[in-house]
Amino acid sequence: MNVIPEGALHARKNNMEGAGEDFTAKGIPVVDNNGEQQAEIEKNEVIFTKDLTDFIENNLKKFNSEETSNSEKDEIAIKVGKRLVKELLTNTDDRTGLIEEV
């Protein structure tokens, strides 16, 4: 499931214990099973599933190919747009109410 997290913005300190020492003091740290920070996200930043990310990246490669015609590019853009809308509305845990607000 995709997620829109609650928490701190990059511009705000997260006030978490260990912040600034073991992981970032701003935003929301993403840590692995060993406790090592791998990324930083922020409130209202949509985090896509691996499957959706792969779908978007594969279609971006096709879209940017010199062999892809303009009509094929239009079809790719529509296909990706439809999938994104479906994912956002039916497969996203929106913890801040952003989707309804937008």
Side-chain angles (χ1 to χ4, degrees), residues 28-81:
I28 305 166
V30 178
V31 297
D32 61 21
N33 291 335
N34 298 320
E36 299 293 322
Q37 182 172 338
Q38 298 298 314
E40 176 189 348
I41 59 175
E42 70 176 316
K43 177 181 178 181
N44 288 337
E45 186 174 77
V46 181
I47 311 303
F48 294 131
T49 63
K50 174 83 165 101
D51 180 59
L52 181 56
T53 300
D54 289 343
F55 172 80
I56 294 168
E57 288 179 349
N58 290 335
N59 279 286
L60 179 61
K61 287 177 188 171
K62 292 177 193 173
F63 185 91
N64 287 331
S65 171
E66 291 182 15
E67 299 166 5
T68 304
S69 69
N70 285 339
S71 63
E72 290 171 318
K73 288 181 180 193
D74 290 344
E75 290 175 22
I76 291 168
I78 290 168
K79 177 173 73 170
V80 170

Side-chain angles (χ1 to χ4, degrees), residues 1-4 46-48 52 80-94 97-102:
M1 178 169 272
N2 309 299
V3 67
I4 300 174
V46 181
I47 311 303
F48 294 131
L52 181 56
V80 170
K82 285 181 177 181
R83 172 87 185 264
L84 279 173
V85 168
K86 180 182 176 190
E87 289 284 336
L88 286 170
L89 297 180
T90 65
N91 193 34
T92 300
D93 180 5
D94 181 359
L98 179 65
I99 294 172
E100 190 169 318
E101 181 181 318
V102 174

Side-chain angles (χ1 to χ4, degrees), residues 13-33:
K13 289 190 174 185
N14 57 35
N15 297 318
M16 296 173 67
E17 188 175 324
E21 299 168 16
D22 300 325
F23 49 83
T24 184
K26 294 188 175 190
I28 305 166
V30 178
V31 297
D32 61 21
N33 291 335

